Every structure is written in C-alpha cells, then in structure tokens.
Amino acid sequence: MNLKEPLWSKRTESNEHPSPSSSSPRDPESEAAAAAATSAVEELVNSLNKQRIYREVTLALRTGLCDVRAEFSFLRVRGLRFLLKSLRSIAQSDSSITLFSQTQSIPDLQVVPLLFEHSFKETEDEKVGSLDHIFSVEPMKVKSPSTDSEVALALRVLEGCCLLHPESTRLAHQHKAIPVLMNVLSTRGVLEQGACLDALISILLDSSANQMDFEACNGIEEVAELIRDKQVDENLRMKCGEFLLLLIGHINGRERSPIATIHEEFHGTSLLI
C-alpha cells in the first residue's frame, strides 16, 4: 500500500499566482467572505483526505489479514509481506499512524491476535484428540505448519505493530507473547532469531507486563547463552549483545523497572565472545 497525495490537495497555478485584478483593493466584507470560503474549502479537503487514508489503511489491513487466516503457509506469507509493506507506508505519515491506531480497536482489523493464532501457532497444537473424523463425512481441515520465512515475516509485522501502536504490546501479552518468542529464539534458525530479538525489544518497550514475563522466562540467561555458544552465527551473537545493551539503556532512564536487576544479571554472566 502506497499512500499517494490526492488530486484535490494540489494547488492550481491560478491559486499560486493570483491575477493582477486580485491585487486591487477590496472591501473588508469581501475579504472576510473570501477567507471564510477558503477555510471551508480547506476543511473539506482535509476531511476528504482523512477519509481517503482511512479507506486505504482499512483496505490494506483487510487484504493482508484475509491471507494471514489462510490454511496454507504460502498464502500466509503473501499476506504478511503485504502487511509489512503497508506498515512501512503507514509509518511515513503521522495522520496514517493515527488512523492505524484507531483501526486496531476494531477486532476484525487487529493484526497481533492473528499472528499468534496462525503464524506463531505450534504444530503440536494441531494434533487430533479423537478419531471421529475418520467415521465422519466432513473432511478434516489440515493446516500447513509455519515455514521459517513465515515466522520471520510475522515477527517483523509484530515489531511494526508494537512500534506504531503501543497498545499492541497489551494484545501481545494476552497471547503470551514472551514465552512464544523465547521458544522461537531457542528453537528456530538465524533468520527468525534475528527478527525475534527486534520483536522482543518492541514488545518490552514501556510494557511492565511483558517485562515481568521476560524475567520469569529467564530471558537474560537465554540471550546470554546464545552469546556464549561459539557455534552460533557471529552476526547473531553481536545482535544479542546489542539487545542486552538496549535493555540496559532503556532501564537506565527508568526507576524500579520489573527487570531492573538486569545489570547484576548481565555483569554476573560470563560472556565469552
């Protein structure tokens, strides 16, 4: 989604270069009437522009979320790529960011819950508890597992949502985001792990609930373990170090943070880089 400037917002040459006759003296009443007309036109243009952006934002969300709900991973990947492109376009304008925040109060347009219900859902959750489907005429729904590319894209979308809309961190907490992301960090590949560290920063930012979950999951130790492991990709180990430094910098500006003991944990850990 690319938010383009509407045609009606562009000034014409006649507006930019007034005619000589317009420089002639005017009486106060005519000037007041002209000013009122100009103000009314500007209000109409602003209203039309706001409605246009809202339609584009909601259309982009509905299009992307439709694919994110799909049963096949390649369709979900397509939806996630579209959402990520849309979020990057939304981030370029304060007005579109405000409208995006408004859409996230509408359940059908919320992005974060669908990420955890589909892309981050473990394959084990799909196990069948009974064999009733064998004797039924109804076909059994089979959902393809999330690929590495899908998980990495979903993490980027999660990061974007939390940065543009801080309330998305609360939605992430409701879906146990920290345990899910720590599982990704410990079981997935380098591509997903790098995206996971960025997503962790965005959902921990100014979120006491997520910070408490991170502490309960021994997040510092998990990240430090990756740094100590010489078999881990060097770039990922450096990214883990940056992650810890960002946490420390964030806590230095706050008092009594839920993870305020990070300094002791960080300095007490033997980081053999």
Side-chain angles (χ1 to χ4, degrees):
M1 180 193 73
N2 294 318
L3 302 179
K4 299 180 180 179
E5 185 180 0
L7 295 177
W8 60 76
S9 68
K10 297 180 179 179
R11 286 189 167 188
T12 60
E13 294 182 359
S14 59
N15 290 334
E16 295 178 352
H17 305 285
S19 60
S21 60
S22 62
S23 62
S24 59
R26 291 185 179 181
D27 60 278
E29 293 184 359
S30 62
E31 290 182 354
T38 302
S39 177
V41 171
E42 289 178 351
E43 290 181 2
L44 176 61
V45 169
N46 291 336
S47 177
L48 291 173
N49 190 42
K50 184 177 180 179
Q51 293 177 20
R52 176 187 64 85
I53 296 176
Y54 184 80
R55 287 195 301 269
E56 290 185 2
V57 170
T58 54
L59 177 61
L61 291 176
R62 292 186 187 279
T63 302
L65 293 176
C66 180
D67 283 339
V68 171
R69 296 185 181 95
E71 297 178 0
F72 299 102
S73 182
F74 77 93
L75 290 176
R76 297 196 296 270
V77 167
R78 183 178 69 180
L80 291 169
R81 284 176 177 164
F82 187 82
L83 285 176
L84 187 58
K85 181 180 179 181
S86 300
L87 291 176
R88 288 171 176 167
S89 179
I90 290 170
Q92 298 175 4
S93 168
D94 291 338
S95 59
S96 57
I97 292 175
T98 301
L99 292 175
F100 172 75
S101 299
Q102 294 176 1
T103 62
Q104 293 309 286
S105 62
I106 304 174
D108 290 343
L109 297 178
Q110 289 178 343
V111 178
V112 172
L114 285 186
L115 297 179
F116 287 93
E117 293 171 6
H118 297 277
S119 296
F120 294 142
K121 195 170 185 180
E122 291 291 338
T123 309
E124 288 77 12
D125 294 341
E126 301 293 336
K127 289 182 179 179
V128 181
S130 66
L131 300 178
D132 293 341
H133 65 281
I134 297 179
F135 307 101
S136 173
V137 295
E138 294 293 333
M140 179 183 174
K141 291 185 177 180
V142 178
K143 187 173 183 178
S144 62
S146 300
T147 61
D148 295 345
S149 177
E150 179 183 348
V151 174
L153 284 170
L155 289 167
R156 294 300 181 189
V157 173
L158 174 63
E159 177 190 3
C161 288
C162 292
L163 292 177
L164 295 177
H165 179 236
E167 278 296 308
S168 289
T169 59
R170 181 181 58 82
L171 295 174
H173 173 69
Q174 293 176 357
H175 289 80
K176 304 184 184 302
I178 295 298
V180 171
L181 265 61
M182 295 308 299
N183 180 61
V184 171
L185 191 63
S186 60
T187 61
R188 289 283 183 169
V190 176
L191 179 65
E192 304 92 290
Q193 289 173 323
C196 185
L197 291 171
D198 293 333
L200 277 171
I201 286 291
S202 66
I203 67 175
L204 288 173
L205 188 64
D206 295 329
S207 175
S208 298
N210 286 324
Q211 290 178 14
M212 293 175 66
D213 288 348
F214 186 73
E215 184 179 9
C217 292
N218 298 318
I220 301 300
E221 291 83 352
E222 293 289 338
V223 176
E225 185 65 29
L226 289 176
I227 298 179
R228 288 196 299 265
D229 190 351
K230 293 296 184 67
Q231 295 183 352
V232 173
D233 181 77
E234 185 67 23
N235 292 330
L236 180 61
R237 295 171 67 198
M238 294 296 295
K239 196 173 186 67
C240 289
E242 294 174 356
F243 171 83
L244 295 179
L245 290 175
L246 283 173
L247 281 185
I248 292 175
H250 177 56
I251 291 172
N252 280 337
R254 304 182 59 191
E255 295 181 359
R256 300 188 63 82
S257 169
I259 50 176
T261 58
I262 184 176
H263 294 283
E264 290 76 11
E265 295 178 8
F266 180 70
H267 291 297
T269 303
S270 176
L271 302 181
L272 304 177
I273 301 180

